[in-house]
Amino acid sequence: MTGQTLGEPVRHLIVTDSTNSVAMDWANEGAPHGAVVTADAQTDGRGRRGRSWSSPAGKGLYLSLILRPQIQPAQVPQLTILAALAAVQLVEKECGLVAQTKWPNDILLNSHKIGGVLTEADLSGNGVKFVVVGIGLNVNFQTADLPDHPIFPASSLLIETGRGWPVPEVGQAWLREFGLLYAIYDKSGWNSLRDDFQSRCLGLGEPVTVTTENEKYYGIASRLDDDGILIVQTSNGPRRVVAGDVSFDVH
Ligand code: BT5
């Protein structure tokens, strides 16, 4: 897949339920690697595990990128990491501010969540048919636009930088950063990006609480493994956080 432009063709919608849903349908109909769906507003923007994503009109980037990578299903989480790292790099380059990721999919600025990634894949048949990487970035959200009672304190580029940013340009910048990272990933694999990600990852080496559907456990967030999965050292030994939410509150 090297050498193909990411970001073409584009479907831009004024309003839709979820750009990820539109992109999944389009990919099923045969959309090529690199195709993108964007919207000015989402009425049913989705987060992980059935959560919702606030998507007011014209205030945020709502973008879903279709990929047809030659990877194994276990590697799909690596694409979430690439997307989060691309957002961190875009904030650094365009806004001149140091952003961070919170594994696996949060984008943080000044300890506030300004964006998130939702990756979905079609794993039917043999291996990975396609992947949809959805990014939501709070660009020009005012305080009143932020969701009520988010699980992590929320903010936006506007609030943190004190000025507005053009959403289409932010989208182009994200695609550019993702494209640069994807070219490295495609050629040299996740291992060549692991240190970059880990250096921007909040809370490595710190105590964490992991909450899954069925249990809650504590440990020290230590590193990311070969699949991009967080390893937590617990009193019973290392555990891979395959699903669940990680919080860095000291218990
Ligand atoms: C995420 O989920 O952070 C993934 C968000 C992905 C959104 C993009 S937009 C384009 C594409 N199309 C979609 O339908 N989705 C993707 P998660 O880690 O589960 O976080 C969700 C939680 O974040 C919610 O339960 C709220 O507490 C909080 N939240 C909701 N909207 C927010 C916002 N705009 N900014 C900050 N926090 C928000």
Side-chain angles (χ1 to χ4, degrees):
M1 296 296 173
T2 315
Q4 281 182 282
T5 313
L6 297 180
E8 287 169 9
V10 182
R11 269 191 194 173
H12 179 74
L13 304 158
I14 304 297
V15 60
T16 189
D17 51 356
S18 154
T19 55
N20 261 40
S21 301
V22 175
M24 290 293 285
D25 289 347
W26 193 16
N28 261 316
E29 290 157 11
H33 175 82
V36 160
V37 178
T38 54
D40 289 345
Q42 298 183 118
T43 53
D44 191 21
R46 296 188 279 113
R48 295 174 308 146
R49 303 166 75 193
R51 293 189 284 244
S52 68
W53 187 255
S54 300
S55 313
K59 307 256 176 156
L61 175 69
Y62 317 116
L63 184 155
S64 299
L65 171 64
I66 296 167
L67 299 170
R68 296 186 180 277
Q70 311 285 318
I71 58 173
Q72 297 304 310
Q75 294 174 282
V76 170
Q78 297 170 347
L79 296 170
T80 302
I81 287 173
L82 247 62
L85 184 55
V88 164
Q89 292 188 176
L90 114 74
V91 173
E92 284 175 4
K93 286 189 192 165
E94 305 297 320
C95 313
L97 293 172
V98 177
Q100 276 187 309
T101 61
K102 180 166 115 27
W103 187 89
N105 72 322
D106 292 335
I107 298 130
L108 309 181
L109 187 54
N110 300 331
S111 306
H112 286 69
K113 177 162 172 166
I114 58 159
V117 179
L118 175 67
T119 300
E120 297 177 295
D122 184 332
L123 306 177
S124 62
N126 217 350
V128 178
K129 233 159 132 187
F130 61 78
V131 179
V132 168
V133 177
I135 169 127
L137 206 54
N138 301 340
V139 180
N140 294 323
F141 282 49
Q142 308 272 4
T143 307
D145 301 315
L146 296 170
D148 291 332
H149 315 297
I151 41 181
F152 198 84
S155 192
S156 71
L157 283 182
L158 180 147
I159 295 167
E160 298 304 319
T161 64
R163 54 156 285 198
W165 297 84
V167 175
E169 274 85 338
V170 170
Q172 286 307 317
W174 182 81
L175 281 168
R176 203 165 48 239
E177 294 304 323
F178 187 90
L180 292 171
L181 291 171
Y182 192 81
I184 299 171
Y185 176 77
D186 199 32
K187 189 159 171 260
S188 315
W190 147 248
N191 272 324
S192 55
L193 295 167
R194 189 188 333 214
D195 287 349
D196 261 4
F197 184 81
Q198 292 193 147
S199 70
R200 268 108 156 183
C201 195
L202 178 82
L204 288 185
E206 291 178 22
V208 287
T209 303
V210 180
T211 309
T212 71
E213 303 249 319
N214 310 314
E215 60 170 341
K216 201 172 195 178
Y217 57 90
Y218 308 103
I220 304 289
S222 66
R223 64 187 175 82
L224 302 184
D225 75 3
D226 288 346
D227 292 329
I229 300 293
L230 180 68
I231 304 294
V232 171
Q233 297 292 341
T234 74
S235 49
N236 297 322
R239 289 189 63 166
R240 301 178 83 230
V241 186
V242 180
D245 285 311
V246 178
S247 70
F248 292 90
D249 314 340
V250 182
H251 60 277

